[in-house]
């Protein structure tokens, strides 16, 4: 859980124009950190990295296509 918290804090800098950027980054990215940590624990580093890449591509490329 500490690693997930730090993962969330690492993503605060991109949220300067939203309400409560630290709380939002720690909550959303902390949940993602727990999920990615579980994938790393059970399936290995490669799948954890691949899952993170797919999540980033989805958030920054696929979602804006529908907005």
């Amino acid at each position: 859980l500490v690693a997930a918290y730090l993962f969330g804090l690492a993503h605060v800098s991109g949220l300067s124009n939203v309400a409560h950027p630290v709380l939002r980054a720690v909550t959303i990215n902390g949940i993602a950190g727990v999920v990615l940590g579980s994938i790393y624990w059970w399936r290995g580093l490669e799948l954890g990295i691949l899952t993170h890449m797919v999540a980033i591509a989805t958030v920054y490329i696929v979602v804006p296509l529908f907005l």
Side-chain angles (χ1 to χ4, degrees):
L1 291 177
V2 173
Y5 178 75
L6 294 174
F7 182 80
L9 284 178
H11 291 83
V12 172
S13 64
L15 298 173
S16 60
N17 58 350
V18 298
H20 309 292
V22 174
L23 179 63
R24 180 175 173 176
V26 170
T27 303
I28 295 172
N29 292 309
I31 292 168
V34 169
V35 171
L36 291 170
S38 297
I39 291 171
Y40 164 70
W41 182 263
W42 294 107
R43 299 293 179 182
L45 180 62
E46 294 84 4
L47 190 59
I49 292 172
L50 180 64
T51 306
H52 187 260
M53 288 173 40
V54 169
I56 294 296
T58 301
V59 168
Y60 289 107
I61 297 171
V62 176
V63 171
L65 292 174
F66 295 102
L67 296 180

